[in-house]
Amino acid sequence: MSRAKAKKSNVDDYLRMYRQMARIRAFEDNANQLYLSAKMPGLTHMYSGEEAVAVGICEALRVTDKITSTHRGHGHCVAKGAEFKEMFCELLGKEEGYCRGKGGSMHIADQSNGNLGANAIVGGSMGIATGSAFTAKLLGKDDVTVCFFGDGATAQGLWYEVMNMAALWKLPVIYACENNGYSEYTRTDEIAAGSIVARAEAFGIESHQVDGQDVLAVNALTEKLVARARKGEGPFFVELKTYRYHGHHVGDINRDYYRSKDEEKDWKENRDPIIRFRSWLVEQGIANEAEIDAMNAEIADDAKAAVDYALAAKYPDSTEVDMHVYTDVKHALARGDAR
Amino acid sequence: MREITLSQAVNEALAEEMRRDETVFIIGEDVAEAGTPFKVLSGLVEEFGTARVVDTPIAEPGFMGIAVGAAMTGTRPVVDLMFGDFIYLIMDQLCNQAAKTHYMSGGKLSVPLVLRTNLGATRRSAAQHSQSLHALVAHIPGLKVALPSSAYEAKGLMKTAIRDDNPVVIFEDKLMYQDKAPVPEEEYLIPFGEANVLREGSDITLIGTSSMVQVCQKAAEILGSEGISAEVIDPRTIVPLDEETLLASARKTSRVIVVDEGHQSFGVTGEIASRINEKAFYHLDAPVLRMGAMDVPVPFSPALEDITVPTPESVVENARRLVHGEMIHAA
Ligand SMILES: Cc1ncc(C[n+]2csc(CCOP(=O)(O)OP(=O)(O)O)c2C)c(N)n1
Ligand SMILES: [Mg+2]
């Protein structure tokens, strides 16, 4: 799918935004089922509820623009253009996964679409994103990098170091803080002093806050910032207010002690980014209910087919275990090692 | 004797020490109400309050640094580092600050803190949540390193660590949190630098650390059924290391395999093997064999992950070859 942008008056763009959000939701519903039915190794973090953030931003990017992602990374990956099949294969540790099964959910990377990878170290990609922007500047490209991270990650010192340099050197990077109100089992206001936005502003970085449940608002803002970052007017900071529907990870089921059911219900029923955008599409006469239902059904079929494919796909051969340790050594281990 | 899980054992050790000494406090991410993702600390905040069970932002170098400073000025922090893999984030505070302060101050200052964290692969957690990094810190003079191999050790070593005036790093095996073992109701401490001989034998010595103690035990059972008598030893702390017990066993059996879940190269297995070579060389009938984790980042795919760590079968295989004299000129 090309990321080349037409005007937003173009109906196709709206429909694609809807489709991408619905694809993320479908992906996550299936991933959750895989976990619950014990078919997925390890655990994973669901992006459900935050779809408008990834889609609103990535729809403003070209395929050559870069993103860095987080432990909650499936949404970014889909939004930046990844395919279900390779993603589910990766989640199940299969050879045909984006990372040949070596990375899994927390390390999905999709180089062909500019996704430099999810990261299991909170804040771990802040340097990488800034370095990617450094490359663009050094090589005279107009690529922009978006660094996704959570509210919890704003506690990492690395962020302040790289913001300082990004601001000094006017790097084309957009720091996108997905503020879902929680880091693990703790409310953000208990672990973040003062204002997060003011922290970026302290470095002279132009900062914005936007409703992360409103895909059009996110997209409109990002379009503007990306265009300016391409011209060397970056970096920028955006705080997107959003919500995760599931627990911190799929196993975090009894969570009343830190988050009320009423609060969850309110976000799901009154601020769901997909429901909101769907009614807008219908209101504007861009699509009718039947067309949207048909799109949803098609996405559900795609997801199911990809899951079935991945479940049946083969694991990497055991000889792959010591491949890719070094770029220039096919198999890193001298044979004959005792093990 | 009653049996409790490793997780309960750690919890009890902390609770007992916090009752005994009001300068002991816990600091880390989601340690209070959540009791950590592994639920090891559940209930402690209810008893000791949020002043002594302190939730932090996700700022590892920051809270580690605060703990170092607090330890230097009259408290005994227990720092909770959620995954051993995050030790890279706090290396400066741990290795440049905590480890060296006593020495650099000519013995005037000390840093009585405990860093409790974990190790262990095969949990399908991929390369940044599965590492066993104890060799990194064992390399740094000034740090003590404990590797509990059961609930019993976890409790006794934790209590000793908290009372120690040096920085101590304890790595728990995250796969063992729910494993039960007999743990006395009465108070006990396990001194550092005292290895535990779990099983006596005469043909070969299996030295295992942490998660690998179970692996060695199982291997010894299999070997026993084949008529090979294996001795199993758990050093319990690698700094300090109980050389005497390890050497005595090596001299007795004349063959040794060292099994540890850290990467094999430049690691714990190499260190122990070379001490045995240096000090028991003329008693050996075969080279001391190292068995560590494969020298690759831990892969996510179960098909790959399981072959990166030593197993009872692979230990048995190597033990047979050593005992049958097939490895005299090996490696
Ligand atoms: C350096 C580091 N510390 C701690 C963790 C454990 N951890 C994983 S996710 C998480 C919370 C992250 O919160 P936030 O950044 O708000 O992202 P969210 O999960 O809400 O999307 C924590 C503490 C980690 N992976 N890396
Ligand atoms: Mg968050």
Side-chain angles (χ1 to χ4, degrees):
Chain A
M1 195 190 326
S2 162
R3 292 265 88 71
K5 294 306 310 154
K7 276 254 159 11
K8 279 295 171 318
S9 55
N10 190 332
V11 163
D12 289 346
D13 288 334
Y14 296 127
L15 292 177
R16 197 176 57 232
M17 274 197 242
Y18 180 87
R19 172 182 288 275
Q20 287 291 67
M21 289 202 290
R23 286 181 74 232
I24 294 172
R25 186 70 58 89
F27 185 89
E28 296 298 51
D29 288 346
N30 279 277
N32 194 37
Q33 271 319 113
L34 284 169
Y35 173 80
L36 293 174
S37 57
K39 288 180 183 148
M40 186 177 63
L43 50 73
T44 180
H45 309 79
M46 302 277 94
Y47 198 74
S48 315
E50 307 190 11
E51 292 88 349
V53 173
V55 172
I57 289 177
C58 290
E59 284 293 310
L61 299 177
R62 301 174 182 154
V63 71
T64 46
D65 290 327
K66 307 289 188 281
I67 63 165
T68 60
S69 170
T70 67
H71 57 284
R72 197 176 303 289
H74 305 162
H76 312 137
C77 194
V78 171
K80 197 68 174 64
E83 299 294 340
F84 279 172
K85 202 172 90 177
E86 285 86 344
M87 283 185 71
F88 279 119
C89 280
E90 190 58 39
L91 258 62
L92 298 182
K94 302 298 177 76
E95 184 190 275
E96 286 177 76
Y98 274 112
C99 310
R100 300 191 71 79
K102 282 193 162 125
S105 164
M106 284 201 290
H107 302 288
I108 285 196
D110 170 17
Q111 172 124 13
S112 59
N113 285 300
N115 180 354
L116 299 177
N119 207 307
I121 300 300
V122 168
S125 69
M126 290 162 162
I128 296 171
T130 311
S132 162
F134 187 93
T135 293
K137 187 168 182 195
L138 186 72
L139 302 186
K141 297 181 181 175
D142 68 354
D143 295 343
V144 170
T145 303
V146 174
C147 178
F148 288 102
F149 55 90
D151 45 285
T154 62
Q156 288 285 328
L158 178 62
W159 189 38
Y160 302 92
E161 300 192 11
V162 297
M163 269 200 296
N164 188 31
M165 287 181 267
L168 282 172
W169 304 335
K170 296 203 176 326
L171 298 182
V173 56
I174 299 174
Y175 299 104
C177 176
E178 309 181 296
N179 187 344
N180 59 14
Y182 294 86
S183 75
E184 268 187 0
Y185 325 109
T186 302
R187 279 211 331 263
T188 307
D189 57 9
E190 293 173 7
I191 50 142
S195 144
I196 291 176
V197 173
R199 299 182 193 177
E201 284 171 344
F203 292 98
I205 294 177
E206 184 181 312
S207 302
H208 298 265
Q209 281 175 302
V210 63
D211 177 0
Q213 306 307 86
D214 180 347
V215 71
L216 291 177
V218 173
N219 185 252
L221 173 66
T222 314
E223 292 263 347
K224 279 191 211 121
L225 298 183
V226 167
R228 288 174 55 200
R230 285 199 207 291
K231 291 189 289 181
E233 293 174 29
F236 298 104
F237 170 68
V238 183
E239 181 183 1
L240 305 108
K241 189 76 196 127
T242 184
Y243 202 75
R244 63 163 158 80
Y245 286 175
H246 292 260
H248 170 60
H249 55 73
V250 279
D252 173 25
I253 292 171
N254 300 320
R255 50 182 180 270
D256 305 14
Y257 73 94
Y258 74 86
R259 197 169 95 165
S260 76
K261 291 220 164 65
D262 285 348
E263 182 187 294
E264 295 186 1
K265 193 160 166 261
D266 177 45
W267 279 87
K268 285 182 193 168
E269 289 180 2
N270 302 320
R271 301 193 230 183
D272 183 78
I274 301 180
I275 298 176
R276 271 171 81 171
F277 193 50
R278 177 183 174 136
S279 17
W280 186 86
L281 290 175
V282 174
E283 244 169 63
Q284 301 287 315
I286 294 166
N288 63 37
E289 298 284 358
E291 285 162 347
I292 297 178
D293 285 340
M295 198 195 309
N296 288 343
E298 183 201 319
I299 291 167
D301 288 347
D302 276 1
K304 184 168 181 315
V307 167
D308 290 344
Y309 183 91
L311 283 169
K314 73 183 192 49
Y315 283 113
D317 189 80
S318 63
T319 56
E320 291 212 19
V321 73
D322 66 344
M323 293 173 75
H324 316 118
V325 181
Y326 303 100
T327 56
D328 53 350
V329 180
K330 188 141 199 257
H331 290 281
L333 295 180
R335 293 294 147 191
D337 265 11
R339 192 155 280 116
Chain B
M1 203 187 292
R2 65 166 185 159
E3 298 208 336
I4 59 172
T5 63
L6 191 145
S7 169
Q8 288 168 318
V10 173
N11 190 299
E12 277 190 9
L14 290 164
E16 287 174 17
E17 292 305 299
M18 289 176 82
R19 276 176 216 134
R20 188 188 57 80
D21 179 352
E22 63 180 20
T23 69
V24 177
F25 71 96
I26 298 172
I27 185 166
E29 291 154 21
D30 274 322
V31 291
E33 216 177 350
T36 79
F38 297 102
K39 305 290 166 208
V40 175
L41 305 185
S42 295
L44 294 181
V45 73
E46 281 77 7
E47 180 174 350
F48 300 103
T50 51
R52 289 178 70 199
V53 184
V54 185
D55 265 348
T56 65
I58 314 173
E60 289 83 3
F63 66 72
M64 183 65 196
I66 287 171
V68 175
M72 287 166 63
T73 49
T75 63
R76 291 185 177 268
V78 177
V79 178
D80 188 287
L81 189 67
M82 196 181 295
F83 282 87
D85 310 66
F86 307 160
I87 210 156
Y88 297 124
L89 282 89
I90 61 161
M91 273 309 219
D92 180 66
Q93 297 306 314
L94 181 64
C95 301
N96 270 331
Q97 312 302 336
K100 296 177 172 48
T101 292
H102 188 66
Y103 188 82
M104 293 190 303
S105 69
K108 299 239 164 60
L109 295 165
S110 60
V111 187
L113 73 74
V114 177
L115 175 66
R116 72 165 281 270
T117 189
N118 51 39
L119 55 69
T122 69
R123 211 170 148 263
R124 318 302 178 219
S125 305
Q128 295 173 341
H129 280 66
S130 307
Q131 298 165 87
S132 300
L133 298 176
H134 44 294
L136 287 185
V137 291
H139 187 65
I140 306 304
L143 302 176
K144 296 187 180 179
V145 184
L147 303 173
S149 61
S150 80
Y152 177 79
E153 270 79 22
K155 182 168 180 186
L157 292 171
M158 177 60 77
K159 285 172 69 86
T160 304
I162 292 172
R163 297 181 195 193
D164 200 294
D165 285 337
N166 299 283
V168 178
V169 190
I170 298 194
F171 290 87
E172 294 153 8
D173 174 12
K174 55 178 121 54
L175 273 107
M176 265 168 25
Y177 280 127
Q178 295 316 316
D179 288 4
K180 289 192 169 181
V183 173
E185 308 260 6
E186 315 77 64
E187 174 164 70
Y188 67 96
L189 280 84
I190 298 179
F192 284 2
E194 269 188 28
N196 181 27
V197 181
L198 289 102
R199 179 184 175 118
E200 299 208 10
S202 52
D203 296 326
I204 186 164
T205 301
L206 306 177
I207 300 171
T209 60
S210 179
S211 50
M212 295 295 113
V213 174
Q214 283 181 12
V215 166
C216 291
Q217 287 269 70
K218 285 188 195 132
E221 273 164 39
I222 302 172
L223 289 166
S225 69
E226 298 176 5
I228 296 174
S229 163
E231 182 145 303
V232 177
I233 306 184
D234 168 13
R236 298 203 286 210
T237 54
I238 51 172
V239 182
L241 184 68
D242 180 0
E243 266 186 23
E244 279 321 303
T245 302
L246 305 183
L247 289 171
S249 177
R251 292 187 187 111
K252 178 175 79 173
T253 65
S254 80
R255 301 175 188 92
V256 183
I257 303 180
V258 193
V259 194
D260 176 87
E261 210 182 326
H263 293 300
Q264 181 162 303
S265 292
F266 305 96
V268 171
T269 55
E271 177 63 29
I272 293 178
S274 96
R275 291 202 204 186
I276 293 170
N277 281 331
E278 280 170 11
K279 295 178 182 166
F281 185 73
Y282 291 106
H283 299 265
L284 297 177
D285 284 327
V288 179
L289 214 67
R290 298 167 301 146
M291 291 182 72
M294 227 180 235
D295 293 323
V296 302
V298 180
F300 166 72
S301 183
L304 302 180
E305 186 178 25
D306 288 342
I307 57 179
T308 63
V309 290
T311 59
E313 293 70 32
S314 60
V315 174
V316 165
E317 174 70 15
N318 280 324
R320 277 192 206 119
R321 291 164 69 199
L322 279 187
V323 170
H324 297 144
E326 290 166 24
M327 269 195 160
I328 292 180
H329 302 292

